[in-house]
Amino acid sequence: MRNKRNSPFALIPYYVWIALFVIAPIILVAYYSLLDLNGNFTIANYQNFFTGVYLKMTLSSFWYAFLITLFSLLVSYPAAYLITKTKHKQLWLILIIIPSWINLLLKTYAFIGIFGMSGPINSFLKTIGIPQQQILFTDFSFVFVAVYIFIPFMILPIFNSLDKLNPALIYAARDLGASRLTTFRRVILPLTMNGVKSGIQAVFIPALSLFMITRLIAGNRVITLGTAIEQQFLVTQNWGMGSTIAVFLILFMFIIMLFTGQKEKGATQYGKAK
């Protein structure tokens, strides 16, 4: 029985899946990136990517992805820490995860109603004597909605790291005279950095390729790499340029994964192993 489980043939379905749904699409995208509108081979698409328009769009995508990731982290880390201190932490975690089960399009349209001129926010402002504000189709609304959507994906890995943290290490730091801030900076944060990096990876990478929220919430005021790919494929019908942007997006994702990924050192379990 053990020999059958360790048989290399057991991995064939996995290799077939990877080949068909990961490697083949990447090769197909790379192939189309070398074609012009007439189907001829060219490197003009790559030359065009390094022009001012696409470089500005790329920098804009990274800037908004950075803001979304930063605000998600600032909200998620304290929230995850507080959840680990509660009595029913699994229940609170489920309550945070449940909104991620709702369809993204439904949540986006809900925020359109909330931020609209006739929405509850503007109605409240009107009752306290403040004129109606254009909240929808702004950078603020785009970042706010994106942060709301990505918060569960940031909280989960951070919560797991904090939950596995050996409390004996914190008690030892406090016994040695470390303040709460020093304990957090020198003990808690370094030992939960794997969770932080996983959360950054789970938020920053998809934030680079957002396109539906940019249309519905930002009103195309925000142009990301995902929006550019959609426009090249569906509007201008320039599959070559759209594929070129997708190639660079894939490269950016791999680079981010290399920087944010690291091996588990097992430091959090040291005290338990003792």
Side-chain angles (χ1 to χ4, degrees):
M1 181 68 69
R2 183 177 299 175
N3 292 335
K4 290 183 179 180
R5 289 180 179 176
N6 295 332
S7 173
F9 294 104
L11 297 176
I12 290 179
Y14 170 77
Y15 291 137
V16 171
W17 178 273
I18 293 296
L20 290 178
F21 299 105
V22 178
I23 298 176
I26 293 176
I27 293 175
L28 191 62
V29 168
Y31 169 76
Y32 275 107
S33 69
L34 296 172
L35 300 179
D36 60 14
L37 288 172
N38 299 319
N40 301 318
F41 279 95
T42 180
I43 61 170
N45 295 323
Y46 288 90
Q47 294 173 342
N48 292 334
F49 185 83
F50 290 99
T51 58
V53 174
Y54 290 102
L55 289 179
K56 183 179 179 181
M57 175 197 64
T58 302
L59 292 176
S60 176
S61 298
F62 273 89
W63 172 246
Y64 282 109
F66 168 76
L67 290 178
I68 293 168
T69 305
L70 176 63
F71 289 126
S72 297
L73 179 60
L74 292 177
V75 173
S76 299
Y77 201 103
Y81 182 80
L82 291 175
I83 291 173
T84 59
K85 300 302 180 182
T86 58
K87 182 177 180 181
H88 304 288
K89 54 187 176 181
Q90 298 299 334
L91 175 62
W92 285 105
L93 192 64
I94 290 175
L95 292 176
I96 291 175
I97 296 174
I98 284 177
S100 65
W101 299 350
I102 302 174
N103 184 271
L104 178 59
L105 186 62
L106 294 178
K107 290 189 287 187
T108 304
Y109 274 108
F111 274 105
I112 291 176
I114 293 172
F115 289 149
M117 297 299 291
S118 302
I121 294 180
N122 271 310
S123 298
F124 173 75
L125 294 177
K126 186 177 180 180
T127 57
I128 61 176
I130 299 177
Q132 289 183 327
Q133 303 294 320
Q134 179 61 50
I135 304 174
L136 199 61
F137 308 137
T138 61
D139 293 352
F140 165 79
S141 61
F142 168 70
V143 174
F144 184 92
V145 174
V147 168
Y148 166 80
I149 290 171
F150 285 124
I151 275 178
F153 303 100
M154 180 69 79
I155 285 183
L156 274 174
I158 295 176
F159 170 83
N160 289 332
S161 294
L162 287 169
D163 196 43
K164 292 190 299 181
L165 184 64
N166 187 357
L169 299 175
I170 301 176
Y171 298 147
R174 299 303 300 274
D175 290 341
L176 293 173
S179 63
R180 290 182 179 272
L181 180 60
T182 303
T183 302
F184 172 78
R185 183 170 56 88
R186 302 294 295 272
V187 179
I188 299 176
L189 184 60
L191 293 179
T192 57
M193 190 54 67
N194 281 351
V196 172
K197 289 184 177 181
S198 297
I200 291 174
Q201 190 178 107
V203 173
F204 192 90
I205 291 177
L208 278 176
S209 56
L210 288 173
F211 67 92
M212 184 179 67
I213 298 176
T214 58
R215 283 190 176 276
L216 298 178
I217 299 296
N220 277 345
R221 290 172 57 91
V222 177
I223 303 297
T224 63
L225 292 173
T227 308
I229 293 172
E230 181 201 23
Q231 290 177 347
Q232 292 293 338
F233 273 97
L234 301 181
V235 180
T236 63
Q237 297 292 312
N238 190 347
W239 287 27
M241 195 64 222
S243 298
T244 302
I245 301 172
V247 167
F248 280 101
L249 180 59
I250 293 171
L251 290 176
F252 294 149
M253 290 179 178
F254 276 117
I255 293 172
I256 294 166
M257 291 175 66
L258 288 175
F259 277 102
T260 57
Q262 72 176 42
K263 296 181 179 179
E264 184 73 31
K265 295 181 180 179
T268 58
Q269 299 297 325
Y270 174 74
K272 295 179 181 180
K274 296 274 289 184

